[in-house]
Amino acid sequence: MKDASEIKDASEVKDTFDLGGKSFKSRLIVGTGKYKDFAETRAAVEESGAEIVTVAVRRVNITDRGKENLLDYLDPKRYQILPNTAGCFTAEEAIRTCRLAREVGVGDLVKLEVIGDNQTLFPDVVATIEAARVLVKEGFKVMPYITDDPVTCLRLQEIGCVAVMPLAAPIGSGLGIRNPFNLAIIIEQAKVPVIVDAGVGTASDAAEAMELGCDGVLMNTAIAGAKDPIAMARAMKLAVEAGRLAYRAGRIERKLYATASSPLTGLIG
Amino acid sequence: MPTIILNGDPYAIDGDLRLVSLLERLNTRQGRIAVEINLEIVPKGNYPATIIKPGDNVEIINFVGGG
């Protein structure tokens, strides 16, 4: 008889992904916005198992001198800090923000987002491409938040972005994956990691993204906005792991009719 | 009184001001911030030699929670 432990399965094989020359185990990237305080931010990030965390770039508070700093809670030696360009509506603003972010000294990985419309927060595709071109030339490792459009994702890869980050649904909407077929095309064509960024509402959305074959999922509101952010952080960690493993395990084909699971021979009578 | 524009608002200074003195006054740590003067980024290595002059537009940024 063969022992169960002799059977090696996909979950035992090392499964990391590379981003801008660095290797990561966790495929969940989390944002740090909308938390009650820095202590809750840190607790949620820890529970999520994320190794990469996004942060925003803002003016230092001049009047409140005693203010704590986010990096006091999230050690840049432990976490890969991923500054974003949230709030930028032009390529120039986004480029300026990235240059400042890099000068803080946490590396040259940036999440590029150039917003085209205030209500949907959909990206300005033209401005994103324009900014990506400049930033890549300046040595940044650019991860652009972008519409779930396969051709745009191809263009961003050609420019030299280290990943593409198509949205699942509008930022903070929690609508889940609105266009799995476009994402499937993007994943199939991609030569760089595909990270689904924005729109995830709950664990099943994250699992679905991973089952499609994405390399990772980036989320903020789905965790920070949950009634219990710490529990949701853990749920997301498990969902991303489960979805990834299901993808690697290879799901069965969908069929219209039933196929019996039990033998059709040896029936009684 | 001479002023600079600091993070978008007028900020009074006595005259020429060393950047490191301003950072100290604001209780910021160099490893947590980045500085731009008149739209030019000041590399960390240039902080000790950088002098802020009346009328300068100074931006000091740090990281905050975001997605």
Side-chain angles (χ1 to χ4, degrees), chain A residues 3 7 11 15 25 38 41-42 54 76 84 101 110 113 148 156 162 166 173 191 200 211 228 235 243-244 252 261:
Chain A
D3 199 77
I7 302 168
S11 66
D15 178 42
K25 281 201 290 277
F38 287 151
T41 312
R42 176 166 61 191
T54 61
N84 70 25
V110 288
E113 54 179 303
D148 55 357
L156 287 164
V162 298
S173 70
K191 291 182 185 68
V200 164
E211 285 168 13
D228 184 339
R244 175 66 187 172
I252 61 161
S261 303

Side-chain angles (χ1 to χ4, degrees), chain B:
Chain B
M1 193 149 194
T3 56
I4 56 169
I5 300 296
L6 178 58
N7 285 357
D9 291 317
Y11 184 87
I13 56 172
D14 298 328
D16 286 4
L17 175 66
R18 294 172 65 225
L19 173 59
V20 284
S21 308
L22 176 66
L23 295 178
E24 215 165 278
R25 200 184 288 179
L26 298 171
N27 200 25
T28 55
R29 269 187 293 153
Q30 295 193 10
R32 299 283 187 257
I33 54 140
V35 179
E36 202 188 64
I37 299 177
N38 302 327
L39 297 177
E40 290 277 339
I41 285 182
V42 185
K44 289 249 158 71
N46 293 359
Y47 284 11
T50 300
I51 307 292
I52 297 164
K53 294 183 166 36
D56 278 351
N57 191 347
V58 181
E59 291 281 350
I60 307 174
I61 62 89
N62 63 357
F63 293 145
V64 301

Side-chain angles (χ1 to χ4, degrees), chain A:
Chain A
M1 199 176 92
K2 208 172 179 183
D3 199 77
S5 64
E6 290 171 53
I7 302 168
K8 203 170 167 64
D9 71 90
S11 66
E12 294 170 66
V13 180
K14 195 180 115 189
D15 178 42
T16 57
F17 80 113
D18 291 340
L19 212 50
K22 262 178 144 178
S23 182
F24 297 94
K25 281 201 290 277
S26 170
R27 290 170 182 273
L28 174 58
I29 302 175
V30 294
T32 53
K34 298 184 179 174
Y35 286 100
K36 192 173 71 200
D37 50 35
F38 287 151
E40 190 185 62
T41 312
R42 176 166 61 191
V45 170
E46 271 180 19
E47 198 64 31
S48 75
E51 295 168 301
I52 307 170
V53 294
T54 61
V55 299
V57 177
R58 292 292 179 269
R59 284 170 165 167
V60 162
N61 189 330
I62 302 297
T63 47
D64 185 4
R65 292 177 67 249
K67 212 170 185 302
E68 289 180 305
N69 187 284
L70 178 62
L71 295 189
D72 297 334
Y73 284 78
L74 297 169
D75 183 0
K77 287 191 203 83
R78 177 171 170 195
Y79 295 103
Q80 170 68 53
I81 304 292
L82 177 60
N84 70 25
T85 62
C88 292
F89 281 79
T90 65
E92 290 71 30
E93 285 167 11
I95 294 164
R96 185 182 174 199
T97 302
C98 289
R99 287 173 181 157
L100 277 165
R102 178 156 71 179
E103 196 51 39
V104 176
V106 294
D108 39 26
L109 204 63
V110 288
K111 170 179 164 177
L112 172 64
E113 54 179 303
V114 186
I115 302 300
D117 170 59
N118 211 12
Q119 196 172 16
T120 58
L121 297 181
F122 280 146
D124 183 323
V125 172
V126 176
T128 304
I129 289 177
E130 199 184 318
R133 212 166 255 141
V134 174
L135 290 166
V136 167
K137 270 200 196 113
E138 292 185 11
F140 284 94
K141 289 164 182 159
V142 182
M143 301 170 65
Y145 152 75
I146 199 67
T147 324
D148 55 357
D149 171 49
V151 175
T152 308
C153 287
L154 280 180
R155 293 295 164 268
L156 287 164
Q157 286 188 66
E158 287 161 12
I159 288 168
C161 292
V162 298
V164 288
M165 304 209 292
L167 55 86
I171 295 171
S173 70
L175 286 174
I177 294 163
R178 294 296 79 208
N179 200 338
F181 302 104
N182 269 28
L183 284 183
I185 294 170
I186 292 167
I187 291 160
E188 201 175 290
Q189 295 184 330
K191 291 182 185 68
V192 295
V194 178
I195 316 279
V196 162
D197 179 7
V200 164
T202 188
S204 52
D205 297 336
E208 186 188 355
M210 295 312 295
E211 285 168 13
L212 283 169
C214 307
D215 296 276
V217 183
L218 194 163
M219 63 179 78
N220 189 156
T221 308
I223 296 175
K227 280 201 185 95
D228 184 339
I230 316 298
M232 188 58 93
R234 177 148 183 80
M236 291 302 187
K237 173 194 161 84
L238 296 171
V240 167
E241 283 173 7
R244 175 66 187 172
L245 195 52
Y247 169 74
R248 293 174 68 214
R251 61 152 298 151
I252 61 161
E253 268 180 56
R254 290 181 173 87
K255 284 179 292 195
L256 198 53
Y257 296 105
T259 317
S261 303
S262 308
L264 299 171
T265 53
L267 289 164
I268 304 158

